[in-house]
């Protein structure tokens, strides 16, 4: 999956000059895009004062959750089995020749390193971080608040951000795109911090970012931006993570959302997507819920009679294809995976 920018090893590059490609693909705050607006299930809260968005990785959480457990567990079992063969039983080990014994010890060390540097790293990010890393854009103060991965908050003026088409490459997901925001140094050239303002999905392209910009830009810039954005959002879904962990039902909905146009693909890929859903559920249970500092909440006051206020509580009902079919796929996929593992283990045990 596409985890670009998440964790110490995947940070967006900073302390560097802007590239020509970034300059050419810039999104100017004052310039709208002629594209159909799409929010890509990215909004947590909306009102006439601010709009709050999820982070780039929220929609794809789950893969590292189950994969880290599987990879770490298998690596530890394999490494332990090799050491058992070399050293046990004491006095009469299964592998007594020096050459093969040294090879197996080295191989076991490799398995332990995989468990530590690969599986443990992914495990910490999925299970020991935050449920999400929200971004709040305040229309009235024109400030952008970004909840960083370390729990601190970046506050930067909306008008000072250098917004551009972000591009990331990954062996599994190929080239993916997001709306990248750079905080520049006083020289206007050097990137000091970067974050993502919008991410369509694994299947998104450069045109998808235009669609997201057509959704976001009017809220901050257009005179009728609040009403236009409200009309767009009231017919969709807001993310149920406002001061809470998402429930297991929404974990399943969100996990399958990017494949929503292809129910047959959801069924075929159910062993992987099902494990992703289970991993996402557990990751959300163990992760911390982000909390904005008091000063951010203080400047984000919303009137009790704000006619444009929306949260997940205003969502309409979730239908068959959004939840119940993915639930069926999850049950089928996980059951199939467990069945195959049991069959392999029982066959080896004989």
């Amino acid at each position: 999956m596409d985890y670009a920018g998440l964790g110490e090893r995947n940070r967006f590059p900073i302390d560097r000059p802007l590239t020509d490609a970034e300059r050419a693909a810039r999104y100017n705050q004052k310039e709208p895009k002629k594209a159909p607006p799409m929010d890509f299930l990215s909004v947590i809260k909306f009102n006439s004062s601010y709009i709050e968005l999820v982070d780039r990785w929220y929609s794809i959480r789950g893969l590292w959750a189950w994969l880290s457990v599987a990879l770490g567990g298998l690596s530890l079992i394999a490494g332990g089995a090799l050491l058992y063969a070399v050293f046990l039983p004491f006095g009469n080990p299964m592998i007594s020749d020096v050459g093969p014994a040294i090879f197996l010890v080295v191989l076991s060390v490799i398995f332990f390193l995989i468990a530590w540097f690969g599986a443990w790293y992914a495990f910490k990010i999925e299970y020991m971080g935050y449920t999400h890393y929200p971004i709040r854009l305040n229309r009235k103060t024109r400030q952008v608040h970004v909840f960083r991965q370390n729990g601190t908050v970046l506050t930067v003026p909306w008008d000072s951000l250098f917004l551009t088409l972000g591009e990331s490459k990954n062996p599994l997901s190929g080239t993916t795109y997001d709306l990248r925001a750079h905080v520049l140094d006083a020289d206007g050239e050097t990137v000091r911090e970067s974050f993502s303002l919008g991410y369509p999905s694994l299947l998104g392209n450069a045109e998808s970012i235009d669609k997201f910009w057509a959704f976001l830009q009017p809220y901050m810039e257009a005179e009728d931006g609040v009403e236009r954005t409200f009309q767009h959002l009231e017919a969709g879904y807001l993310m149920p993570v406002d001061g809470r962990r998402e429930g297991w039902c929404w974990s399943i909905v969100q996990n399958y959302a990017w494949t929503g146009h292809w129910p047959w693909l959801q069924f075929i890929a159910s062993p992987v997507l099902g494990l992703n859903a289970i991993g996402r559920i557990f990751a959300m249970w163990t992760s911390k819920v982000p909390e904005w500092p008091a000063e951010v909440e203080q400047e984000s006051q919303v009137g009790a009679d704000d006619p444009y206020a929306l949260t997940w509580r205003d969502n309409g009902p979730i239908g068959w294809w959004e939840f119940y079919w993915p639930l069926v796929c999850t049950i089928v996929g996980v059951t199939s995976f467990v069945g195959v593992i049991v069959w392999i283990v029982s066959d080896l045990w004989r």
Side-chain angles (χ1 to χ4, degrees):
M1 287 287 192
D2 180 22
Y3 285 88
L6 182 62
E8 290 294 336
R9 303 179 191 175
N10 295 324
R11 297 282 188 188
F12 295 133
I14 58 173
D15 298 326
R16 59 171 181 83
L18 289 167
T19 66
D20 292 338
E22 288 173 325
R23 294 181 185 279
R26 183 176 186 180
Y27 288 86
N28 189 297
Q29 278 88 331
K30 304 299 182 183
E31 298 177 3
K33 287 286 186 180
K34 292 183 179 180
M38 293 188 68
D39 63 279
F40 296 104
L41 294 178
S42 63
V43 180
I44 301 171
K45 296 174 68 175
F46 174 82
N47 51 66
S48 58
S49 297
Y50 66 85
I51 184 171
E52 188 164 308
L53 309 173
V54 294
D55 55 88
R56 188 187 197 280
W57 318 286
Y58 172 76
S59 64
I60 58 174
R61 291 283 296 273
L63 176 68
W64 279 6
W66 73 266
L67 196 58
S68 64
V69 173
L71 180 62
L74 291 175
S75 297
L76 291 175
I77 291 172
L82 293 177
L83 292 180
Y84 180 92
V86 172
F87 296 107
L88 297 175
F90 291 115
N92 186 28
M94 298 171 61
I95 306 297
S96 56
D97 293 340
V98 176
I102 293 176
F103 173 77
L104 292 182
V105 169
V106 172
L107 190 58
S108 69
V109 171
I110 293 175
F111 278 121
F112 289 136
L113 290 176
I114 291 174
W116 177 256
F117 289 103
W120 176 242
Y121 172 78
F123 183 90
K124 287 192 300 180
I125 289 177
E126 284 279 28
Y127 288 101
M128 302 171 68
Y130 289 89
T131 56
H132 64 294
Y133 302 89
I135 304 165
R136 180 175 291 186
L137 292 84
N138 194 310
R139 174 183 166 94
K140 293 183 176 179
T141 65
R142 300 189 68 77
Q143 297 290 313
V144 178
H145 308 286
V146 183
F147 196 93
R148 294 188 180 105
Q149 295 174 44
N150 62 4
T152 62
V153 172
L154 165 71
T155 296
V156 60
W158 161 257
D159 297 295
S160 71
L161 290 173
F162 186 97
L163 303 170
T164 187
L165 177 67
E167 184 175 318
S168 303
K169 298 183 184 297
N170 183 285
L172 292 178
S173 55
T175 302
T176 56
Y177 302 90
D178 63 89
L179 179 60
R180 195 75 51 85
H182 296 318
V183 180
L184 301 182
D185 205 346
D187 61 8
E189 300 282 340
T190 306
V191 178
R192 292 305 184 196
E193 189 158 356
S194 294
F195 59 92
S196 176
L197 263 178
Y199 179 74
S201 78
L202 284 170
L203 305 178
N205 51 32
E207 289 72 29
S208 301
I209 307 305
D210 287 348
K211 296 175 182 178
F212 182 75
W213 184 247
F215 160 75
L216 184 65
Q217 189 268 351
Y219 176 75
M220 294 297 289
E221 299 293 341
E223 185 175 344
D224 62 343
V226 174
E227 184 175 355
R228 286 164 57 183
T229 310
F230 175 82
Q231 291 174 355
H232 173 93
L233 288 174
E234 67 176 344
Y237 294 108
L238 273 68
M239 304 304 98
V241 290
D242 175 23
R244 66 192 291 271
R245 296 176 174 86
E246 69 179 26
W248 69 270
C249 294
W250 188 261
S251 289
I252 292 176
V253 171
Q254 184 67 65
N255 179 70
Y256 286 84
W258 65 284
T259 56
H261 294 295
W262 307 284
W264 57 269
L265 178 60
Q266 293 177 335
F267 187 80
I268 293 174
S270 61
V272 174
L273 291 177
L275 290 172
N276 282 0
I278 299 302
R280 183 183 182 95
I281 290 171
F282 280 101
M284 289 297 172
W285 283 351
T286 60
S287 296
K288 295 172 287 187
V289 177
E291 295 183 9
W292 291 111
E295 56 269 22
V296 174
E297 294 287 14
Q298 182 62 36
E299 72 171 42
S300 303
Q301 296 296 313
V302 181
D305 57 347
D306 188 342
Y308 299 109
L310 288 173
T311 70
W312 65 272
R313 294 173 180 83
D314 299 299
N315 289 345
I318 300 175
W320 164 263
W321 294 109
E322 288 78 22
F323 171 66
Y324 293 101
W325 174 247
L327 177 62
V328 170
C329 291
T330 298
I331 295 172
V332 171
V334 173
T335 302
S336 300
F337 177 82
V338 172
V340 170
I341 296 299
V342 171
W343 176 74
I344 292 175
V345 171
S346 62
D347 191 60
L348 293 174
W349 190 262
R350 293 173 186 169

